[in-house]
Each structure stands twice: as C-alpha cells, then as structure tokens.
Amino acid sequence: MENKIKWMKYAFSEAEKAHGNDEVPIGSVIIKDEKIIGRGYNQVESLIDCTAHSEVIAITSASNYLNNWRLNGCSLYVTKEPCVMCYGAIVNARITNLYFGVSDKEKGFRTVVNENKLFYSKHLKLVESGIMKNECKGIIKDFFIKKRKNSNNSSE
C-alpha cells in the first residue's frame, strides 16, 4: 500500500495543477518499472477539447516516452474513477493495473461496465479503488463548492 500512496500523491499533485488552472481537479500518472513515464491533468477547458482528460493526456505522455502506444506492464494512478471514454483508452493502451482514488457513481466506467466483467481485457489485470480516497474526494468537492459560490456571486 505504501507504493500505491506514493504514486497517488504524484497523481494528486497533477490534480492540484488542474485546480490551479480552474479545471476539474483530476490528475494521473503512469508508472513503469518504478518510474513515472507519463503524467497528465484535466485540460478540457484550456484546450477546448472534451477528450483532454488527465488519463488521455497521461497515456499520450507515456506513449511518447516509450515511443510505443502499447503500455504493457504499466500502472495508471488517477485521482477519480475514469469515465467510459478513458476506460476505453486504458484498455486500448494495454495498461496492466488501474488504481484510482474516489469512485464516480454517475459518470465512472463502472456505471456502464458490469463490475463482475471488468477484466474482460486480457491486458488489464487489476482495478483497485480507494487510494487516498478522502483527499481525492476533497479536492473535487472544494472545486465545485468554489465554482457554485462564484456562480452565485456573479448572478447577484
């Protein structure tokens, strides 16, 4: 569990970058052989791109680092449960392990993919949630509280 927390702290640091840029604070890192080879944070608003999720950016970063789109043997740490689009990218990139902080019962991939059949991909071997759950939930909650507060103040 120590290493999982270590790597999730790096993902959380990416989420803080998103928060600082007024983006939904979700961050990701990709690990191979105990080294970060890819990182990303949400940039949907700044890039004006609905696919600029932290996971997709981290996958692109890792693929560029390895000069290979196949990320076999890699682990992805992300602060929030990936959406269906990102889950598809994770499976297509052949990532081996997926660790995330907080679950998303509305938009997370497990709302669409039957939890009992998560491992239909021959490459994705492990999915684990709850790593730094409180911190990951807290930064997202804080972001939306501030957004609502600013929205209410601007409408007065």
Side-chain angles (χ1 to χ4, degrees), residues 9-24:
K9 284 182 179 178
Y10 284 103
F12 190 83
S13 175
E14 294 296 312
E16 291 176 319
K17 290 178 189 176
H19 194 291
N21 290 331
D22 203 31
E23 297 273 0
V24 176

Side-chain angles (χ1 to χ4, degrees), residues 64-75:
N64 287 331
Y65 179 86
L66 293 177
N67 197 30
N68 192 337
W69 62 267
R70 296 169 193 87
L71 301 180
N72 302 80
C74 292
S75 297

Side-chain angles (χ1 to χ4, degrees), residues 110-133:
R110 294 181 302 171
T111 61
V112 177
V113 179
N114 181 333
E115 236 179 302
N116 297 322
K117 302 202 183 226
L118 279 179
F119 307 111
Y120 65 83
S121 162
K122 67 180 181 179
H123 301 287
L124 184 61
K125 304 295 183 201
L126 174 69
V127 175
E128 186 177 323
S129 65
I131 300 146
M132 290 179 54
K133 176 183 172 181

Side-chain angles (χ1 to χ4, degrees), residues 141 143-154:
K141 188 175 179 182
F143 175 81
F144 284 108
I145 287 171
K146 285 180 181 168
K147 274 282 187 208
R148 279 187 219 104
K149 184 177 179 183
N150 290 340
S151 174
N152 288 338
N153 287 342
S154 66

Side-chain angles (χ1 to χ4, degrees), residues 21-97:
N21 290 331
D22 203 31
E23 297 273 0
V24 176
I26 300 168
S28 300
V29 293
I30 296 180
I31 311 303
K32 183 169 179 89
D33 300 327
E34 294 299 306
K35 180 179 180 184
I36 296 174
I37 63 164
R39 45 177 92 228
Y41 58 90
N42 272 6
Q43 297 180 55
V44 171
E45 301 299 334
S46 59
L47 295 178
I48 313 168
D49 180 355
C50 66
T51 68
H53 291 195
S54 72
E55 301 94 326
V56 173
I57 291 169
I59 287 169
T60 300
S61 174
S63 296
N64 287 331
Y65 179 86
L66 293 177
N67 197 30
N68 192 337
W69 62 267
R70 296 169 193 87
L71 301 180
N72 302 80
C74 292
S75 297
L76 171 66
Y77 289 79
V78 58
T79 55
K80 188 180 83 51
E81 179 179 351
C83 69
V84 174
M85 175 189 73
C86 291
Y87 180 71
I90 291 162
V91 169
N92 286 330
R94 300 182 179 178
I95 288 173
T96 305
N97 303 304

